[in-house]
Each structure stands twice: as C-alpha cells, then as structure tokens.
Amino acid sequence: RSCKACSYHLCAACGDKRADEMLSEEITLTVYRAAQLGILPGMGVEEDALQVAIVRGATAGALKLKIAELYSVPVLLQVLRRDADSTPLGNQEPLRYDDGDVVYLSVGGGGLFAGGGFGGTLGVGGGAGGLMEMMSRAAADATEALSGALEEAAARARELEKTEYTLNVVLLARGARPEKRCKLTVVAAARVQEVLDMVKLELDIEDEALYMEFAGDKLPPAAPVHMVGLRDGDTVMVAAPEDSRSSL
C-alpha cells in the first residue's frame, strides 16, 4: 500500500501506525477441540469447533479468558496449541493469527502449568482463587457424573426386578432317588441361593445339601441369576457335592 504522506511504500512511521491498527483489528478464530475421554462417565468432551472473536494482537492467555467466558471451559484446564502435536502456547505468547485461522484446544490438568502457572490474572478468578474455582467445577462435574451413573444403575436394577426367566431345572438321580425335573419362573435379579431354595421346596428335598450348575460350572450362591449367564429358557442342574455329572 502506498503512503500519501511520504509518496512511497509505507515509511517507518506509517508502517508502525498501520501495524498498531492491524493488531487492534478484531478477527475470528476457530478453536478446534478434539474429543476427549473423562475419568468418569459423562465427564469427557465431544469434538467441537468453537468460534471466538478477539483482537489480532491478543495473547494466548487472553484467548483462554474469551473461551472461558463464551464456552465455560475453565482457564486452568485449557491447553492451546498451533498444531495438534506442537508445544502448548504460553499465556503471555502473542497469538499471531489471521482471521479464520485454527487454534487447537485440549482440556485437562496440563493447562494448569502452561506458560504462567497459577500467577497473574490468567487463571479463572486469578491465583489461588482460580485453582479453587477449577477444583469446585471439577468436583461438581464428578458429582453430576456419579449421580448419573447411580441413576442408571438404579434404573437397570428396577428393570431386572421386573424381568422374569423361566428355567428348566434337572435334579440328578442319586441312589434310589430318580431324576426329577421342574420349571421355575424367577426374576433376573434373584440370587442363585434363592432359586435353589425354591427348587428344594418344589421337589420336596429341603434337607439335602445341593448346589446349582450351569454349562459345566458350579454357580456361586450369592450371585444374581442374570450375572451368571442364565437367561429365559435355560436348563440348570441341581446336584449334591459328590455328584460329577455336567449340566445339559
């Protein structure tokens, strides 16, 4: 661009003025955040492209503050890079980007120490206050994730309590006693010992020491039926400890 004041390509004074003007211009950056797994279910982040408007001459720390303001990503958890595998940008490092350029963002503890650590005004709330806010948010996220996991487990337990399996039970012959068979309908959440007690009542063998076997494996008495692989229509064996036959 020509300079009217000196009738030549930008002189030093005009060049400095134009450089200052450019640094004050607002540009829009695309902040690419790759998908990341969390330490607990629900704490990870999905892939995203965040649009952030900022002045051209801003620092990486100022960009982090903008991201925190617009997208609620704690400053202390942000790690910015020029490329996916490059060194993290320090908080005081000038951005040196043009309009439409891409910045790479990852979220994690590494942002705590990148280019400035706890000091200055670049932490959320600044210094120790920023650390406390980060910890508070992390605790809130963990509590929310744990609550969601517990609710999901409770819903699964309620579903299992309503799910019924019809099992074919075979009592092995022993001495003069012939083989006996019966069918039982049990809930999926019932424990093996509870099913065995029902079998003993059904076949009138309450006084015998017996165990249940499925697919050649002795079933642990305390295990829920659905956890040992039993499903509707399966056949299980009932035998005494000295019996050696396998299940059907």
Side-chain angles (χ1 to χ4, degrees), residues 6-248:
C6 58
S7 300
Y8 190 66
H9 190 71
L10 291 178
C11 64
C14 294
D16 291 340
K17 181 180 178 182
R18 178 54 187 156
D20 290 338
E21 290 174 350
M22 290 182 65
L23 291 176
S24 300
E25 292 175 353
E26 186 173 87
I27 60 175
T28 299
L29 300 176
T30 296
V31 179
Y32 174 73
R33 180 176 63 183
Q36 290 179 261
L37 295 175
I39 59 174
L40 289 175
M43 289 186 65
V45 293
E46 298 180 352
E47 182 183 55
D48 205 352
L50 314 176
Q51 300 300 308
V52 180
I54 195 167
V55 295
R56 191 189 305 271
T59 63
L63 178 57
K64 289 181 181 181
L65 289 173
K66 272 284 188 179
I67 294 171
E69 176 186 350
L70 295 173
Y71 300 102
S72 301
V73 180
V75 170
L76 292 176
L77 297 183
Q78 295 181 42
V79 181
L80 299 177
R81 293 181 171 87
R82 299 192 184 279
D83 300 293
D85 300 322
S86 64
T87 303
L89 295 176
N91 288 330
Q92 302 299 332
E93 186 172 344
L95 291 176
R96 296 196 297 272
Y97 282 111
D98 288 324
D99 188 67
D101 282 350
V102 177
V103 188
Y104 290 81
L105 167 68
S106 57
V107 180
L112 199 64
F113 305 102
F118 301 98
T121 60
L122 299 179
V124 179
L131 177 60
M132 292 301 295
E133 183 171 343
M134 179 200 72
M135 294 176 65
S136 176
R137 291 188 183 185
D141 289 344
T143 300
E144 183 178 354
L146 180 58
S147 176
L150 291 175
E151 289 177 5
E152 184 178 343
R156 175 61 175 161
R158 290 192 295 268
E159 180 183 347
L160 290 170
E161 288 171 357
K162 297 177 182 179
T163 302
E164 294 186 340
Y165 298 155
T166 298
L167 302 177
N168 301 301
V169 181
V170 178
L171 173 65
L172 295 175
R174 184 182 181 196
R177 185 194 65 202
E179 180 178 283
K180 295 183 179 182
R181 293 173 179 259
C182 68
K183 283 191 176 182
L184 288 178
T185 298
V186 301
V187 295
R191 301 192 180 278
V192 171
Q193 184 61 54
E194 294 171 335
V195 177
L196 181 57
D197 291 341
M198 293 171 64
V199 171
K200 287 182 176 183
L201 285 172
E202 182 73 19
L203 299 179
D204 194 22
I205 50 174
E206 298 177 60
D207 296 331
E208 294 193 37
L210 302 170
Y211 67 89
M212 299 192 76
E213 181 182 315
F214 176 64
D217 295 323
K218 184 177 179 180
L219 302 181
V225 169
H226 71 95
M227 291 292 289
V228 296
L230 287 172
R231 295 296 182 266
D232 187 52
D234 283 340
T235 298
V236 294
M237 310 297 291
V238 175
E242 58 268 27
D243 294 328
S244 58
R245 289 180 56 184
S246 298
S247 61
L248 297 179

